[in-house]
Amino acid sequence: MAEQQLGVLKALDVAKTQLYHFTAIIIAGMGFFTDAYDLFCVSLVTKLLGRLYYFNPLSEKPGSLPPHVAAAVNGVALCGTLAGQLFFGWLGDKLGRKKVYGITLIMMIVCSVASGLSFGSKAKGVMTTLCFFRFWLGFGIGGDYPLSATIMSEYANKKTRGAFIAAVFAMQGVGILAGGFVALAVSTIFDKNYPAPTYLVDRALSTPPQADYIWRIIVMFGALPAALTYYWRMKMPETARYTALVAKNIKQATQDMSKVLQVELEMEERADDIVQDPRLNYGLFSKEFAKRHGLPLLGCTSTWFLLDIAFYSQNLFQKDIFSAIGWIPKAATMNGIHEVFMIARAQTLIALCSTVPGYWFTVAFIDIMGRFAIQLMGFFMMTVFMFAIAFPYDHWIKPDNRIGFVVMYSLTFFFANFGPNATTFIVPAEIFPARLRSTCHGISAATGKAGAIVGAFGFLYAAQPQDKTKTDAGYPPGIGVKNSLIMLGVINFVGMLFTFLVPEPKGKSLEELSGETEVEK
């Protein structure tokens, strides 16, 4: 067997980094900015939702979301994302990347606004409509994962492809940071204009009615960056690899890439001239696919699944960790608006110091170190730091050791992002054939979101104290934070083992990796 690569694809692989690369990063990256903002901003306002809609004047503590409502508000978008990744991943291979790309963005814009306009003033009405629209918001976000990754991989040259896909994914960190900044700004404005006493001083007045606008503004703001990039998404041409290899229109692919690369490309082949081995037309559920790509797909799905269990459940411990180190005072000592400010400040500091730098370290080093080395290192370091926090957990939560605790906790986030959180997104966009690339990335991403759901729901209960008198209201006893962290350390270690199933795409063309232009000699 030998490789026969189309001239237009060769031109893409050896093209110098140009303005169009950075334009594509901005267009695809703003989608990811919006994805992250929409998924994570709700954690900033869940405490406020509890105060507003589940206020009990007889309780010594401010109102909080019941367990099933908290799980729904936090998790329903993840369920929508999982479904969207599978559906739009498949649709992206059937209809083309560009056609589907606009649909996902429209869904995100409409559902962001609709989430903030959730109907009524009673808990049941507001929470039901909020969850309904956040599911469909997640569905649109889900489509952005396989499409953004696939489009960027198919546009990039082979030398810097990893860095460009990583840069798109790094916009997730910027989106998380933006969520914190928006929450800080909105809560500050409302705190100055509508001063309120603490819950201890006056339970009823501690959350002024105007606070209802705070969470709505924060949630709806996610529609703005998505709306700003819609026009440019629609102006992007279809990727040359889809047009040439899937749609079999080499003339159109050559014309599109001549405009994009701003060079004259001559059409070296006609579709009829490209002779492919008939065995390369295998489907997703064929024996040939299982033989060629079965183990890599298992590697991509398993590592993303295990990573997301750890990554998303870690976010659940933030409130315990922030409270333990004194970054967030006890709820009763604050009013509802100030509590939003304190939570946003704490999460923004973690994002600024560890989450965001981790993403950009991956961008800088991925085409030097390779995907395999970064993923293996990330899982290993996450395991080390998770165990380093877990086993001496009682030591870390003492007042004198709180700074060390924050540093260790931040490092687990840093190596998640300078590690498997980035590479699990990048690799599935590189190693599968063009006609199945978006589908396989969608499957990998959806498996990851299944892990996120396990992490978000399972550890919500598992992290509860073993002493039933100390659990959060409505929760049964769990295994405690310490044992939960030990479990997460083990999960990270298993992820490190499954990394050995994932091939190294560094420096190779997409066609070389997928073997889809092999011909018989």
Side-chain angles (χ1 to χ4, degrees):
M1 303 288 274
E3 289 287 336
Q4 178 185 336
Q5 194 181 21
L6 297 175
V8 64
L9 304 188
K10 284 180 187 173
L12 270 175
D13 273 335
V14 298
K16 291 181 179 178
T17 300
Q18 291 179 325
L19 179 63
Y20 88 91
H21 282 105
F22 296 103
T23 306
I25 286 173
I26 293 167
I27 294 168
M30 286 308 283
F32 252 82
F33 174 98
T34 307
D35 297 348
Y37 183 97
D38 288 335
L39 281 178
F40 291 95
C41 72
V42 76
S43 65
L44 300 168
V45 297
T46 46
K47 295 276 191 185
L48 179 62
L49 289 171
R51 284 181 182 251
L52 283 165
Y53 298 109
Y54 294 90
F55 170 65
N56 179 1
L58 302 177
S59 173
E60 293 181 4
K61 294 180 180 179
S64 61
L65 297 179
H68 66 284
V69 177
V73 169
N74 285 297
V76 73
L78 297 177
C79 297
T81 304
L82 187 155
Q85 286 163 336
L86 291 172
F87 176 72
F88 286 115
W90 167 79
L91 204 62
D93 283 333
K94 292 295 176 190
L95 301 182
R97 309 352 176 177
K98 181 189 171 180
K99 284 183 182 176
V100 183
Y101 213 23
I103 299 170
T104 62
L105 206 61
I106 290 169
M107 285 193 73
M108 287 155 60
I109 294 166
V110 171
C111 293
S112 282
V113 174
S115 295
L117 297 175
S118 294
F119 311 134
S121 57
K122 302 290 184 194
K124 190 173 181 181
V126 172
M127 295 303 150
T128 302
T129 50
L130 177 62
C131 288
F132 174 81
F133 288 120
R134 279 192 64 77
F135 174 86
W136 291 108
L137 173 64
F139 194 72
I141 288 170
D144 228 45
Y145 273 74
L147 292 168
S148 290
T150 301
I151 285 170
M152 200 65 238
S153 74
E154 292 181 346
Y155 262 100
N157 63 46
K158 64 182 180 182
K159 185 179 177 184
T160 57
R161 186 178 61 236
F164 282 116
I165 306 173
V168 169
F169 192 65
M171 291 300 287
Q172 189 177 73
V174 182
I176 293 169
L177 203 57
F181 285 139
V182 170
L184 286 171
V186 174
S187 59
T188 300
I189 291 166
F190 273 79
D191 208 11
K192 284 184 177 177
N193 286 287
Y194 305 102
T198 65
Y199 190 80
L200 284 174
V201 173
D202 191 316
R203 295 176 183 180
L205 296 178
S206 66
T207 307
Q210 292 86 354
D212 191 53
Y213 292 110
I214 293 175
W215 72 269
R216 295 177 187 274
I217 293 168
I218 292 169
V219 166
M220 285 194 286
F221 188 85
L224 185 62
L228 292 174
T229 52
Y230 179 76
Y231 171 78
W232 297 108
R233 276 201 184 188
M234 294 301 93
K235 292 281 285 181
M236 284 179 83
E238 182 58 86
T239 71
R241 286 184 160 90
Y242 184 87
T243 306
L245 296 173
V246 183
K248 300 284 193 289
N249 189 341
I250 298 166
K251 181 180 179 182
Q252 186 64 50
T254 306
Q255 288 175 352
D256 288 343
M257 288 308 104
S258 291
K259 290 177 187 174
V260 164
L261 294 171
Q262 296 180 327
V263 294
E264 278 299 318
L265 294 176
E266 290 187 16
M267 192 171 70
E268 298 175 10
E269 310 90 353
R270 295 176 305 161
D272 296 343
D273 296 333
I274 302 301
V275 182
Q276 279 193 320
D277 185 338
R279 289 176 298 176
L280 294 179
N281 292 321
Y282 52 83
L284 182 65
F285 299 105
S286 65
K287 286 183 180 177
E288 188 67 22
F289 179 88
K291 180 176 139 188
R292 287 170 172 264
H293 305 292
L295 283 179
L297 184 59
L298 175 62
C300 290
T301 52
S302 58
T303 51
W304 206 335
F305 175 77
L306 294 163
L307 176 274
D308 271 11
I309 292 176
F311 188 74
Y312 279 83
S313 58
Q314 247 184 304
N315 289 308
L316 298 172
F317 303 133
Q318 284 194 6
K319 64 180 176 63
D320 301 308
I321 288 166
F322 295 153
S323 298
I325 62 176
W327 277 11
I328 299 178
K330 289 187 177 179
T333 65
M334 297 181 283
N335 65 47
I337 299 173
H338 191 59
E339 187 175 39
V340 174
F341 177 87
M342 296 301 287
I343 292 169
R345 188 185 71 167
Q347 293 199 16
T348 303
L349 283 168
I350 290 289
L352 203 56
C353 298
S354 63
T355 307
V356 173
Y359 285 113
W360 292 102
F361 264 72
T362 301
V363 175
F365 290 104
I366 192 159
D367 288 313
I368 300 168
M369 294 173 62
R371 289 68 159 155
F372 177 81
I374 287 178
Q375 184 161 313
L376 199 68
M377 174 198 70
F379 268 128
F380 175 75
M381 297 305 286
M382 285 174 73
T383 306
V384 168
F385 286 114
M386 203 72 83
F387 284 151
I389 292 172
F391 287 110
Y393 182 71
D394 296 330
H395 163 80
W396 287 119
I397 58 174
K398 290 176 182 172
D400 293 343
N401 305 321
R402 286 171 177 175
I403 300 300
F405 190 3
V406 175
V407 171
M408 300 288 272
Y409 180 70
S410 297
L411 283 168
T412 61
F413 270 106
F414 175 82
F415 282 106
N417 295 313
F418 183 32
N421 195 36
T423 53
T424 52
F425 174 80
I426 295 164
V427 174
E430 299 182 296
I431 63 175
F432 299 108
R435 68 185 182 282
L436 300 170
R437 186 170 290 135
S438 180
T439 302
C440 289
H441 193 286
I443 292 169
S444 302
T447 313
K449 277 297 166 281
I453 292 164
V454 170
F457 290 144
F459 282 89
L460 194 66
Y461 289 88
Q464 293 297 318
Q466 292 171 310
D467 183 349
K468 64 181 180 182
T469 62
K470 295 180 181 177
T471 60
D472 292 341
Y475 287 89
I479 59 173
V481 172
K482 178 177 179 175
N483 291 329
S484 295
L485 288 168
I486 292 171
M487 277 184 67
L488 293 175
V490 172
I491 287 166
N492 288 325
F493 180 75
V494 176
M496 188 172 70
L497 299 179
F498 273 100
T499 296
F500 287 94
L501 296 176
V502 181
E504 175 56 75
K506 182 182 120 180
K508 297 177 182 177
S509 75
L510 297 180
E511 290 67 49
E512 187 183 351
L513 287 161
S514 64
E516 64 194 303
T517 54
E518 291 173 354
V519 294
E520 289 196 60
K521 291 207 84 172

